[in-house]
Amino acid sequence: MKFFIDTANLDQIKEAQDLGVLDGVTTNPSLMAKEGITGAENILKHYVDICEAVSGDVSAEVISVDFEGMVKEGEQLAALHPQIVVKIPMIKDGIKALKYFSDRNIKTNCTLIFSAGQALLAAKAGATYVSPFIGRLDDVSTDGLALISEIREIYDNYAFETEILAASIRHTMHIIDCAKIGADVMTGPLNAMMGLLNHPLTDIGLKKFLEDYKKGN
Ligand code: G3P
């Protein structure tokens, strides 16, 4: 399972990278705004800074909602750095844009996936990744993890190469559950990732080992 961090915060990206288990980064316009990164030029520069801080894929989202606009923006984003993955919304023109980029071997991430049908369509259009938003489904009393299972089954039935990128991860158990189902990638906040480290018996056990070592020395 690949681990992506879902943030535009460079300090957190570097902290995850330092841990040695980071495979990539996802961003979106809201995450950029949260870090105070505004204006086209600053946003493009920030994508390059992120790419230089990590070694894997970095999703950069288009703002256009028409085919021509998405193609123009996506090409500009892809030209920024070889690690850029063009993030395209799940809309009709987005499907056309996914196919356009797929035909040109430019990686894409189809975002705002909330149904198995949308994921099927994105895979047919050649998306590199699909991003089902599990936390947002949970927020509206719908089972986000069930959607990951449905997409896994469909993709396995036809050996689609599109990777399931479980997004809108809110906590550590989301990561574990997605791993059990077989999501190819999870993108989440740093604290959800770090939560995987924790177990009280580990802390108790380590304390005892260190105390016992001291007794013998
Ligand atoms: O990757 C998508 C993600 O950023 C959405 O997360 O927590 O805003 O639903 P959230």
Side-chain angles (χ1 to χ4, degrees):
M1 185 191 215
K2 292 184 204 165
F3 277 17
F4 288 0
I5 188 167
D6 194 29
T7 184
N9 182 293
L10 269 180
D11 290 337
Q12 290 185 18
I13 290 169
K14 286 175 185 165
E15 191 178 335
Q17 176 70 19
D18 275 355
L19 195 61
V21 299
L22 192 69
D23 300 295
V25 180
T26 52
T27 62
N28 62 38
S30 307
L31 293 170
M32 283 294 206
K34 192 174 163 198
E35 298 307 318
I37 317 287
T38 54
E41 209 170 304
N42 291 333
I43 290 173
L44 295 182
K45 183 185 171 304
H46 200 68
Y47 285 138
V48 175
D49 290 344
I50 294 174
C51 288
E52 285 172 357
V54 298
S55 46
D57 286 348
V58 175
S59 287
E61 188 160 339
V62 299
I63 304 304
S64 304
V65 289
D66 63 296
F67 174 70
E68 287 77 15
M70 282 189 252
V71 164
K72 191 171 164 214
E73 241 188 282
E75 284 180 335
Q76 188 186 19
L77 290 168
L80 280 178
H81 198 282
Q83 285 164 239
I84 291 285
V85 173
V86 181
K87 204 170 181 186
I88 306 271
M90 169 36 74
I91 53 176
K92 190 176 171 191
D93 278 28
I95 294 299
K96 292 198 238 171
L98 290 171
K99 182 74 175 82
Y100 175 92
F101 288 118
S102 163
D103 287 346
R104 286 157 185 77
N105 288 320
I106 293 173
K107 285 186 173 182
T108 53
N109 174 358
C110 186
T111 190
L112 293 166
I113 296 279
F114 291 97
S115 77
Q118 292 177 328
L120 176 58
L121 200 50
K124 287 286 294 173
T128 313
Y129 299 105
V130 286
S131 289
F133 277 30
I134 63 172
R136 291 194 194 181
L137 282 168
D138 290 353
D139 286 346
V140 294
S141 308
T142 305
D143 189 349
L145 290 167
L147 175 59
I148 303 289
S149 297
E150 277 187 278
I151 301 173
R152 180 74 285 152
E153 185 181 349
I154 291 168
Y155 283 9
D156 288 350
N157 281 347
Y158 299 98
F160 280 118
E161 286 178 10
T162 301
E163 293 186 48
I164 302 173
L165 196 173
S168 187
I169 294 268
R170 298 284 171 73
H171 50 72
T172 304
M173 274 313 292
H174 268 158
I175 302 177
I176 296 165
D177 288 333
C178 284
K180 283 160 73 177
I181 293 165
D184 300 288
V185 192
M186 78 83 198
T187 189
L190 184 62
N191 61 352
M193 215 182 286
M194 291 302 185
L196 294 167
L197 279 168
N198 300 333
H199 199 288
L201 289 177
T202 304
D203 299 337
I204 292 166
L206 181 60
K207 188 165 172 278
K208 179 87 169 65
F209 284 156
L210 296 177
E211 281 167 3
D212 289 346
Y213 173 81
K214 273 188 207 148
K215 278 183 209 159
N217 285 280

